[in-house]
Amino acid sequence: MGDKKNPLEEQLKELIDFCRETDLREVVWEKNGTKISFQRSGISAVPAGSAKQSPSMAETADKASPEPFFIRSNMVGTFHRSDSKDRPPLVVEGTIVAAGQPVGTIEAMKIMKDVVSPIPCRISKALVADGHAVEYGQPLFEIEREGAEENV
Amino acid sequence: MFKKILIANRGEIAVRIIRACREMGIKTVAVHSEADRSSRHVTLADESVCIGPGPATESYLNIPNIISAAEISGADAIHPGYGFLSENTYFADVCESCHIHFIGPSKEAIEKMGHKSAARETMEKAGVPVIPGTGIVSVDDPGLPKQARKIGYPIIVKAVAGGGGKGMRVIKDQDGLIAAIQLAQTEAKAAFGNGEVYLEKYLEKPRHIEIQIVADNKGKVIYLPERECSIQRRHQKLVEESPSPIVNEHLRRKMGKAARRAAEAVDYVTVGTVEFLVDKDENFYFLEMNTRIQVEHTVTEMVTGLDLVKEQIRLAAGERIDYDRDDYPARGHAIECRINAEDPDHDFRPSPGTVEQLILPGSPGVRVDTHIYPGYVIPTYYDSLLAKLIVHAGNREEAVKRMERALGEFTIEGVKTTIPLHRKIVAHPVFRKGDACTDFITTYLSSTNGTK
């Protein structure tokens, strides 16, 4: 890496490119006391119900009919479809959501936390009923990606 | 009694706890990281909850997710096992405020024993012998050389927040005093974020001997036969046995009573261990108290016939000790070898990978506690303990022979393990004579110990 301008940045770029080409959801890279870890914004790169080798994310995004992805739980708790009692679900099948938009809440230790969509997408299926317990990494919604923007 | 226990741990100890619960008719909840999805404890438990990604800081140390897992599964108690959150005062406190029973001593007892210099003071007051030493030292203190002379060289400098040998240095004479303290301070600051160090008399050729105590919440404390844990590398135990080859009835009683005083001083409840260093003149000194179940609890179980994990759960639930005496006799002799996924020929570096072949030893007096199975992939995130091989026999000589035989049969293929090293240890004349001190590995097996 010798005299490159910013070797770390170069390496990081290489690492992200590498990640893009594979199905990796999470990368932890450690060298000489420097540690970098990143995740693909809570979205599975593996299309639902597909046992075969899945195409890369870039490939998927180019396709005419988008393959399903998931919004997953990033904590343990009780899942709610709405943000408070007696309110309708925040999203239903077909709702178009923006990146960062709340799609549900998870209650843990009497505290409610929003579940947000990491990318712009269309909700195609709710997978967990209101009031059900969820674990870390559990798929909550099946989604279709909106737009072809790559999201790592 | 508890109805459902969540086990906030992984590996062999999670399996051990689930087994005890099953026999007691208590439901179990396993928590696991994404890296441990196919781990044995997940399969064995009645329910399981994924609590985070591989790194322990985000899963097995993730207090909100663990508490939340207890809440959604309806667990009324949490068993912390060893390591991870087992001696974490804050975790014990959170459990209490969420009305979940923490299976262990009170948070006050954990706190008092967790801080080394505070524990020392508590022990001195309780009349438990401690190694001559100082409080926190500063290199700017002009009285420092005098303090050091009073303790007597060699001296060891230790980190207040220490553990695992970090922030420790041996000082042979006054010339090296200041430099060694400064080095230890820098190391301690880097490792624990706390650079405070203190001085202690360094015992040459000491034995590490510990006393298991069992206490109920009515103030009854009994002590069990001692465990000898002198065979270590880098302050990590490798082989443990009970009873110790050097402890006689007189010393056993003296150490047992000291351990009981230590437990009483912090109103200890459930099971715990008081660790001592013993010198060649049978002087013993308090080292620390472990406020949890320990890896090596098994050798005590073998010689007493007790199930310490069940006892721990019963005592945490408020049951009383139903036993008249304050000591407990040992029957025969037990030895444990820790089988780690490490390469002893290359400085014990971790050897992750897939367990391709697994053949366990058997027959009377042989016990294997493990979470591994053929095809098991050892995650890189956690400690390297794969299995504990424990043998029990009528006396030490028979137990050593039985261990030698069992180690000869034990086969793990696919990863490097400490099995070959254990074969060398049990074959060594110094070990067979029962003369191994804490420097055994570096002194006698230095070729297998690699670079220091």
Side-chain angles (χ1 to χ4, degrees), chain A residues 25-26 28 35 37 39 74-78 107-110 133-137, chain B residues 32 34 37 48-53 55 63-65 67-69 71-72 94 98:
Chain A
R25 281 220 301 136
E26 183 188 357
V28 180
K35 189 176 173 185
S37 75
Q39 281 179 306
N74 62 353
M75 57 189 281
V76 179
T78 306
E107 181 186 350
M109 299 165 76
K110 314 259 184 290
V134 291
E135 62 180 0
Y136 176 89
Chain B
H32 64 91
E34 288 184 318
R37 243 174 232 298
S48 69
V49 180
C50 180
I51 50 164
I63 296 176
N65 277 2
I67 297 287
S68 202
E71 286 183 344
I72 63 171
V94 174
C98 293

Side-chain angles (χ1 to χ4, degrees), chain B residues 345-403:
Chain B
D345 292 334
H346 290 96
D347 198 26
F348 294 99
R349 72 173 171 216
S351 175
T354 304
V355 176
E356 273 149 23
Q357 165 87 284
L358 178 67
I359 302 169
L360 301 180
S363 285
V366 176
R367 164 178 172 184
V368 181
D369 278 20
T370 186
H371 59 292
I372 68 167
Y373 52 84
Y376 176 71
V377 180
I378 301 160
T380 52
Y381 300 105
Y382 318 109
D383 77 37
S384 58
L385 184 64
L386 289 184
K388 304 189 302 201
L389 170 60
I390 309 108
V391 298
H392 184 222
N395 57 49
R396 187 172 191 273
E397 200 189 335
E398 285 173 30
V400 173
K401 281 183 192 160
R402 183 160 281 172
M403 181 56 90

Side-chain angles (χ1 to χ4, degrees), chain B residues 123-146:
Chain B
M123 291 306 100
E124 272 183 298
K125 273 188 210 143
V128 178
V130 297
I131 302 172
T134 65
I136 293 155
V137 291
S138 151
V139 288
D140 304 324
D141 177 5
L144 189 61
K146 198 182 157 197

Side-chain angles (χ1 to χ4, degrees), chain B residues 416-427:
Chain B
K416 297 260 191 207
T417 75
T418 48
I419 292 174
L421 175 70
H422 283 298
R423 290 183 186 139
K424 284 180 197 161
I425 294 170
V426 296

Side-chain angles (χ1 to χ4, degrees), chain A residues 45-97:
Chain A
V46 186
S50 153
K52 64 178 178 4
Q53 190 77 18
S54 70
S56 77
M57 287 186 84
E59 226 179 290
T60 310
D62 287 340
K63 280 189 179 168
S65 69
E67 301 242 26
F69 292 83
F70 298 113
I71 297 173
R72 294 171 185 272
S73 168
N74 62 353
M75 57 189 281
V76 179
T78 306
F79 179 67
H80 296 289
R81 295 283 307 271
S82 61
D83 52 4
S84 69
K85 259 189 190 150
D86 313 319
R87 294 277 299 273
L90 288 167
V91 294
V92 292
E93 196 178 309
T95 308
I96 307 283
V97 296

Side-chain angles (χ1 to χ4, degrees), chain B residues 28-268:
Chain B
T28 52
V29 182
V31 294
H32 64 91
S33 70
E34 288 184 318
D36 270 341
R37 243 174 232 298
S38 50
S39 201
R40 191 84 189 105
H41 74 287
V42 179
T43 323
L44 276 183
D46 295 305
E47 293 169 49
S48 69
V49 180
C50 180
I51 50 164
T57 47
E58 295 167 58
S59 48
Y60 297 104
L61 294 171
N62 185 331
I63 296 176
N65 277 2
I66 291 170
I67 297 287
S68 202
E71 286 183 344
I72 63 171
S73 59
D76 51 352
I78 293 182
H79 196 306
Y82 52 66
F84 295 129
L85 297 168
S86 60
E87 290 172 294
N88 185 311
T89 320
Y90 175 68
F91 181 59
D93 196 26
V94 174
C95 287
E96 194 182 299
S97 56
C98 293
H99 308 288
I100 298 165
H101 214 104
F102 175 83
I103 298 176
S106 68
K107 58 178 194 277
E108 290 80 11
I110 300 173
E111 177 126 52
K112 275 183 191 152
M113 288 302 186
H115 199 269
K116 282 190 180 183
S117 59
R120 234 184 103 89
E121 272 172 44
T122 312
M123 291 306 100
E124 272 183 298
K125 273 188 210 143
V128 178
V130 297
I131 302 172
T134 65
I136 293 155
V137 291
S138 151
V139 288
D140 304 324
D141 177 5
L144 189 61
K146 198 182 157 197
Q147 268 186 297
R149 266 199 307 281
K150 210 178 131 199
I151 297 168
Y153 291 95
I155 283 170
I156 186 164
V157 49
K158 286 185 174 178
V160 168
K166 288 194 185 96
M168 280 191 194
R169 280 245 144 28
V170 178
I171 312 169
K172 297 251 185 281
D173 52 42
Q174 195 172 322
D175 293 344
L177 182 65
I178 302 293
I181 291 173
Q182 283 169 336
L183 255 173
Q185 283 172 331
T186 312
E187 225 176 272
K189 179 90 180 125
F192 314 112
N194 176 356
E196 291 176 334
V197 298
Y198 62 99
L199 303 181
E200 223 172 62
K201 184 172 182 58
Y202 179 67
L203 304 177
E204 280 172 286
K205 294 209 166 277
R207 313 275 289 219
H208 177 120
I209 297 173
E210 58 189 32
I211 306 286
Q212 174 81 57
I213 62 98
V214 178
D216 68 17
N217 64 6
K218 298 290 183 294
K220 167 108 179 157
V221 183
I222 61 170
Y223 59 88
L224 304 181
E226 75 285 347
R227 291 190 289 255
E228 162 86 53
C229 314
S230 294
I231 298 189
Q232 311 182 348
R233 44 94 189 159
R234 288 196 241 110
H235 301 271
Q236 296 275 340
K237 294 161 190 165
L238 272 173
V239 179
E240 299 98 344
E241 56 185 302
S242 181
S244 162
I246 64 146
V247 174
N248 56 40
E249 211 36 66
H250 175 68
L251 182 58
R252 180 168 298 131
R253 189 159 303 130
K254 263 170 69 181
M255 290 179 74
K257 288 190 168 162
R260 207 176 58 195
R261 284 198 298 277
E264 284 166 354
V266 295
D267 297 318
Y268 201 88

